[in-house]
């Protein structure tokens, strides 16, 4: 798997290395650290314990769920989330689907509002993720889509994000058809090629609005 990912990545770096987000990576990193630190101190410090109690009250298992995802340069890392499912053996390969029986009641609410993604601010502080960027995928999906979508690995020229342009544009949820992933990839590459702090701020605000309103593909 690692060899497939790395061989596909070379072309992506040649194309994307001169994009704005790559050139000013250190500035984006400063923003990520400040933003993640504020969210951790002002929100996660009290909200995560409350959500942890609700999760433990409904089902057995750990509060945090960690899963290997593909990061920058195709390198895997453990992505953190609040556990939203009953313990099962398919979590490393099978995407959540509408009406998925594995999802708990509190898990359904967390997924609808994207609150299950909050622990990923830990990933941001660790330098594994950014506040805004292409969403990281499971290793198995990276292996599959890197072979059938020509520019799929271009999106790994930057650090993956908690939220991204593809998500606020509605390209989220289960990807039953390849075309759904193609739309995500196009949005991610557009973001990388046209990055600015103004665009990041717009995506953050749209993400907050989407979390409040909910989204039909958030399940």
């Amino acid at each position: 798997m690692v060899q497939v990912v790395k061989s596909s990545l070379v072309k992506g770096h040649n194309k994307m290395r001169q994009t704005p987000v790559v050139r000013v990576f250190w500035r984006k990193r400063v923003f990520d650290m400040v933003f993640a630190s504020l969210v951790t101190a002002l929100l996660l410090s009290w909200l995560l314990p409350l959500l942890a109690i609700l999760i433990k009250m409904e089902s057995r298992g750990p509060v945090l769920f960690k899963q290997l995802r593909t990061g920058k340069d195709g390198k895997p890392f453990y992505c953190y989330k609040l556990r939203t499912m009953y313990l099962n053996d398919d979590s490393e390969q099978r995407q959540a689907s509408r009406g998925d029986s594995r999802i708990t009641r509190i898990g359904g609410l967390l997924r609808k509002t994207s609150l299950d993604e909050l622990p990923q601010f830990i990933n941001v502080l660790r330098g594994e993720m950014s506040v805004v960027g292409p969403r990281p995928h499971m290793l198995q999906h990276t292996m599959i889509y890197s072979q059938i979508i020509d520019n799929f690995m271009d999106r790994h020229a930057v650090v993956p994000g908690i939220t991204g342009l593809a998500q606020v544009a509605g390209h989220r949820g289960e990807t039953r058809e390849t075309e759904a992933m193609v739309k995500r990839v196009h949005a991610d590459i557009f973001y990388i090629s046209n990055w600015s702090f103004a665009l990041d701020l717009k995506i953050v605000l749209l993400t907050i609005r989407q979390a409040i309103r909910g989204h039909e593909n958030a399940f």
Side-chain angles (χ1 to χ4, degrees):
M1 179 187 305
V2 174
Q3 291 180 345
V4 171
V5 170
K6 285 190 174 181
S7 63
S8 301
L9 183 65
V10 174
K11 181 174 65 175
H13 265 303
N14 288 337
K15 288 182 178 180
M16 311 304 284
R17 62 186 177 185
Q18 296 301 321
T19 57
V21 68
V22 174
R23 290 198 303 266
V24 298
F25 169 77
W26 66 272
R27 288 190 232 168
K28 186 170 170 61
R29 178 62 183 152
V30 170
F31 168 80
D32 286 339
M33 289 296 293
V34 172
F35 191 92
S37 297
L38 289 174
V39 170
T40 301
L42 301 178
L43 182 63
L44 302 191
S45 58
W46 61 268
L47 182 57
L48 281 186
L50 292 178
L51 295 177
I53 293 173
L54 294 176
I55 291 171
K56 295 293 287 185
M57 286 178 61
E58 184 175 10
S59 61
R60 67 181 182 87
V63 171
L64 287 180
F65 170 74
K66 66 177 184 177
Q67 184 180 65
L68 277 174
R69 300 282 182 101
T70 308
K72 187 177 183 294
D73 298 336
K75 297 176 181 178
F77 72 99
Y78 278 107
C79 180
Y80 297 107
K81 299 181 67 174
L82 288 173
R83 182 174 60 83
T84 60
M85 295 183 176
Y86 296 104
L87 296 180
N88 66 91
D89 297 325
D90 297 327
S91 58
E92 293 298 331
Q93 300 179 349
R94 178 182 159 197
Q95 286 181 309
S97 57
R98 194 180 302 278
D100 199 318
S101 60
R102 298 174 299 166
I103 300 177
T104 64
R105 286 177 297 176
I106 182 62
L109 176 62
L110 294 176
R111 299 177 75 95
K112 191 71 175 178
T113 57
S114 297
L115 290 175
D116 60 319
E117 312 284 0
L118 287 177
Q120 287 164 32
F121 282 102
I122 299 173
N123 291 117
V124 174
L125 293 173
R126 289 162 58 100
E128 299 161 333
M129 294 183 68
S130 178
V131 175
V132 181
R135 285 292 296 164
H137 294 297
M138 291 186 289
L139 301 188
Q140 181 183 17
H141 288 167
T142 300
M143 180 181 67
I144 293 172
Y145 289 117
S146 65
Q147 296 181 37
I148 61 179
I149 301 177
D150 288 340
N151 56 353
F152 181 81
M153 292 307 296
D154 289 7
R155 62 197 299 279
H156 296 90
V158 299
V159 179
I162 295 178
T163 185
L165 181 60
Q167 284 62 48
V168 298
H171 307 312
R172 58 179 297 177
E174 189 178 16
T175 51
R176 288 181 175 271
E177 301 177 354
T178 302
E179 182 60 26
M181 184 60 74
V182 170
K183 291 179 180 179
R184 289 188 186 185
V185 172
H186 286 172
D188 290 335
I189 293 176
F190 178 89
Y191 167 78
I192 296 172
S193 301
N194 297 274
W195 174 86
S196 68
F197 278 117
L199 180 57
D200 271 7
L201 180 58
K202 181 178 181 180
I203 292 173
V204 169
L205 294 176
L206 288 173
T207 300
I208 295 173
R209 185 177 73 172
Q210 195 174 84
I212 295 173
R213 293 183 175 181
H215 191 277
E216 61 179 355
N217 290 334
F219 45 78

